[in-house]
Amino acid sequence: MDAIVLLKEDHKTVEKLFKQFEKAGDEAYDEKRKLVDQIIGELTTHAYIEEEVFYPVARAEVPETSDHILESVEEHHVVVWMLSELKDMDPRDERFDAKVTVLMENVRHHVEEEEDEWFPEVRKAMGRKRLQELGEEMEKARAKAPGEPLAVSSAQQ
Ligand SMILES: [Fe+2]
Ligand SMILES: [Fe+2]
């Protein structure tokens, strides 16, 4: 699969989970816990494959995207720390919904920048065949993704 198509599919999966969270009742604690665990899993894997495969290759082959990529890594840094906090937070904690809301704002902003500002530049510069190779590489990397958000490299940068 084309690398950018694959990443956009991941974005859609996460957006669906966000919508479900927004629809969940205030006191649907079990449902919210389950959804947030799924969000943690999806976003950790997604950040991992972007950081291990897509970002470094894009930066090397399309150097004009460097500033966008550096900014994206900083955004990942904030997101994975929030994920690690949510992992251990009780959904009954008065800060839980607020933290998920800010997480969603951060991720939506981040996805918008990827999809609208710099993925199109990468697509134009790398072309179909190269993006397909990269997609395959990311599929393979998925299997190696950690379950722990702070094991993603941006967490320690
Ligand atoms: Fe990203
Ligand atoms: Fe992404």
Side-chain angles (χ1 to χ4, degrees), residues 5 30 55 65 68 73 77 94 107 116 142 152 155 157:
V5 174
D30 290 349
Y55 287 6
T65 60
H68 282 303
V73 171
H77 176 88
E94 65 170 4
V107 170
D116 299 345
R142 224 187 251 288
V152 172
Q157 280 166 1

Side-chain angles (χ1 to χ4, degrees), residues 11 46 50 55 72 76 110 114:
H11 293 166
H46 183 76
E50 283 189 339
Y55 287 6
S72 290
H76 280 199
H110 177 81
E114 286 186 336

Side-chain angles (χ1 to χ4, degrees), residues 18-55:
F18 285 175
K19 290 240 159 67
Q20 280 176 262
F21 186 92
E22 286 170 328
K23 271 192 228 146
D26 276 350
E27 282 162 32
Y29 301 118
D30 290 349
E31 189 191 353
K32 288 197 287 187
R33 176 76 264 164
K34 225 179 101 192
L35 286 168
V36 168
D37 286 341
Q38 280 177 273
I39 290 167
I40 292 169
E42 291 292 341
L43 284 176
T44 300
T45 301
H46 183 76
Y48 176 82
I49 65 173
E50 283 189 339
E51 290 177 29
E52 295 305 311
V53 182
F54 192 75
Y55 287 6

